[in-house]
Amino acid sequence: DSRGRSSTPLKNSYNNMYNSIKKSQIDSLQKNNWNISRRENSSLIDIQASIKHLTNEPSKIHIDFLSRFELFENPSEKFWFLMLEDYEGTSDSSFSWNEFQIQSLAAALDKSDIEKVNNFWENHFPIAMSVKSGYAYLAIKVHGTDAGVIVCGSEPEYEEAMIISPSLASLFEILTDHV
């Protein structure tokens, strides 16, 4: 694809797919030409170990998603979910998994700005990126009373994010309702 990833076509087998992301949702996205490839031979333990150093609160649904897929992007390749290889730094993507935190830190004017940026990203774990109309991302909030919600942020102020979904499972309902 445009970010240099190779992929294996999605198979009809959804062994033990976590109930929160339904086969019908994946099928709907595929019917609408989303590029989706299933990961082969990966264990949940490997995934959790790979991202544990990035976030102390990995979502079970997100770990399951990462263990099941190696490519998940819209037909234009301008919106994609971050995959295990992105978090490990082994993908050929020109974007780092924490690209927008890096950009915000580079634009910070003083220690107070740096602290605000770091506090935000310590509480939000990026799961998807978009370059459709400028730079944007989706992230899971990992701490607080609303932990698990999905937020969306965009340039130029990435940290001014808004909640768009109460959960990752609900996000997939939204995606399938709008394809």
Side-chain angles (χ1 to χ4, degrees):
D1 73 10
S2 64
R3 291 183 324 281
R5 298 179 180 177
S6 62
S7 59
T8 305
L10 185 65
K11 296 180 179 178
N12 289 332
S13 169
Y14 287 81
N15 298 348
N16 299 319
M17 183 65 170
Y18 196 75
N19 290 334
S20 295
I21 302 172
K22 298 176 180 77
K23 180 184 182 311
S24 61
Q25 293 169 327
I26 305 301
D27 291 345
S28 175
L29 293 170
Q30 268 195 300
K31 286 177 185 170
N32 285 282
N33 300 314
W34 277 60
N35 302 312
I36 302 172
S37 296
R38 211 166 144 63
R39 181 177 300 285
E40 297 196 17
N41 302 322
S42 184
S43 72
L44 292 176
I45 294 170
D46 292 337
I47 304 292
Q48 190 161 2
S50 292
I51 67 169
K52 186 69 173 171
H53 70 285
L54 305 176
T55 177
N56 290 327
E57 305 290 335
S59 157
K60 180 176 179 173
I61 298 170
H62 189 224
I63 290 171
D64 187 65
F65 177 78
L66 293 172
S67 74
R68 307 256 179 244
F69 301 100
E70 64 182 7
L71 176 68
F72 213 102
E73 65 188 7
N74 74 352
S76 70
E77 300 178 359
K78 292 184 177 185
F79 172 86
W80 64 94
F81 281 90
L82 296 168
M83 295 289 117
L84 178 62
E85 293 76 12
D86 296 304
Y87 296 119
E88 291 178 330
T90 60
S91 78
D92 291 333
S93 176
S94 57
F95 291 92
S96 173
W97 71 272
N98 61 341
E99 182 70 29
F100 304 130
Q101 178 182 10
I102 293 168
Q103 289 181 18
S104 290
L105 288 170
L109 299 175
D110 56 31
K111 287 183 181 182
S112 175
D113 286 349
I114 291 170
E115 186 177 321
K116 288 176 189 173
V117 168
N118 285 330
N119 284 340
F120 177 85
W121 291 106
E122 286 172 7
N123 289 299
H124 297 85
F125 189 67
I127 60 168
M129 294 185 170
S130 174
V131 294
K132 182 179 178 184
S133 300
Y135 293 161
Y137 69 90
L138 300 180
I140 298 174
K141 186 164 184 203
V142 293
H143 298 286
T145 57
D146 55 352
V149 301
I150 306 299
V151 301
C152 179
S154 61
E155 64 180 329
E157 300 295 331
Y158 296 115
E159 293 74 26
E160 292 179 9
M162 64 181 190
I163 296 172
I164 62 162
S165 175
S167 68
L168 187 57
S170 294
L171 176 65
F172 277 87
E173 290 176 22
I174 294 166
L175 285 175
T176 55
D177 287 346
H178 291 93
V179 290

